[in-house]
């Protein structure tokens, strides 16, 4: 079974500040891990993914995440927040080759001008 | 070209009615999903389906049924709609065993309001 826990349902940062969104996973098999972003009234868009290759994964819009097996974490970061980053962010996990994708509860990112 | 498309985008209906939401993907994926997103943005998987297996989340009422005429389509039929069914429903697709290409692609969602 797989699951993810996102710490912090709301995160606020100032424009230009570091963005850090936390995700911890649980998986009985080697996991595939994903970060998705949802803008208001839209569907989910993939930001980046970890599929057992490099542990530091770079995604779109300047985001990156690092897979840390020892900490069972896959935190999302961006060095400098932009107003357009304000959205809901979801961490998700699946077992490799599995047909299910399980989401965390989401973190709403607010960027303060 | 829209990779995963859902219709309708908005659906308002009365309690007790039966309704369907359609989903189509043109990505050549073999697995499709339905997710329900509640008012708190929580995403709950309802079904995953490929040409071999239907996996049902046991907490989903049997009023909800997926119907797949072919690999590119997975429709969601809902009987006897209830107020609590109001939510945004997302269709998604992925490639089973796709290795590093296993990510799911999502439709734009269908906002269902039951009155």
């Amino acid at each position: 079974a797989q699951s993810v826990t996102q710490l912090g349902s709301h995160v606020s940062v100032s424009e230009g500040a570091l963005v850090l969104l936390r995700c911890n996973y649980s998986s009985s098999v080697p996991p595939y891990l994903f970060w998705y972003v949802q803008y208001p009234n839209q569907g989910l868009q993939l930001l980046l993914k970890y599929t057992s290759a490099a542990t530091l994964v770079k995604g779109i819009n300047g985001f990156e995440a690092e897979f840390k097996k020892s900490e069972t974490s896959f935190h999302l970061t961006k060095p400098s927040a932009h107003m357009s980053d304000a959205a809901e962010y979801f961490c998700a996990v699946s077992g490799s080759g599995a047909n299910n994708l399980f989401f965390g509860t989401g973190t709403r990112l607010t960027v303060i001008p | 070209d829209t990779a995963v498309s859902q219709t309708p985008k908005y659906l308002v209906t009365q309690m007790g009615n039966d309704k369907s939401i359609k989903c189509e993907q043109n990505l050549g994926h073999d697995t499709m999903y339905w997710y329900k997103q509640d008012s708190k943005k929580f995403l709950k998987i309802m079904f995953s389906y490929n040409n071999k297996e239907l996996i049902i989340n046991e907490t989903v009422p049997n009023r909800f049924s997926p119907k797949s005429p072919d690999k590119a389509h997975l429709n969601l039929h809902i009987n006897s709609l209830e107020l609590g069914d109001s939510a945004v429903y997302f269709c998604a697709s992925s490639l089973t065993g796709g290795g590093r290409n296993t990510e799911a692609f999502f439709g734009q969602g269908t906002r269902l309001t039951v009155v």
Side-chain angles (χ1 to χ4, degrees), chain A residues 47-67:
Chain A
L47 273 178
L48 49 77
K49 61 183 177 182
Y50 167 77
T51 55
S52 74
T55 56
L56 181 62
V57 181
K58 294 187 183 298
I60 62 171
N61 302 337
F63 284 93
E64 63 180 38
E66 186 172 7
F67 173 72

Side-chain angles (χ1 to χ4, degrees), chain B residues 23-111:
Chain B
C23 180
E24 176 183 5
Q25 56 94 4
N26 62 5
L27 297 166
H29 289 166
D30 60 355
T31 303
M32 297 183 73
Y33 312 78
W34 279 104
Y35 284 85
K36 179 181 180 180
Q37 187 174 45
D38 62 23
S39 58
K40 296 183 178 179
K41 300 292 187 181
F42 180 62
L43 278 159
K44 169 185 161 183
I45 188 167
M46 302 177 70
F47 306 99
S48 69
Y49 182 82
N50 67 15
N51 57 0
K52 300 177 184 177
E53 188 177 14
L54 170 64
I55 300 173
I56 301 173
N57 185 324
E58 293 178 353
T59 65
V60 175
N62 58 15
R63 298 182 294 103
F64 290 80
S65 58
K67 299 184 188 302
S68 179
D70 54 56
K71 283 174 55 175
H73 296 83
L74 183 65
N75 303 325
L76 181 65
H77 190 75
I78 315 170
N79 290 325
S80 302
L81 277 155
E82 300 177 357
L83 293 177
D85 298 332
S86 296
V88 180
Y89 292 84
F90 286 100
C91 177
S93 71
S94 69
L95 188 62
T96 302
R100 293 171 185 165
N101 296 318
T102 303
E103 70 261 28
F105 289 78
F106 283 78
Q108 291 298 294
T110 296
R111 183 175 295 276

Side-chain angles (χ1 to χ4, degrees), chain A residues 4 15-16 22-23 25 40 56 61 63 84 86-87 90 95 101 107 112-113:
Chain A
V4 290
E15 191 174 15
R22 299 178 185 274
C23 173
Y25 71 90
L56 181 62
N61 302 337
F63 284 93
S84 61
F90 293 92
L101 185 63
T107 298
I112 304 166

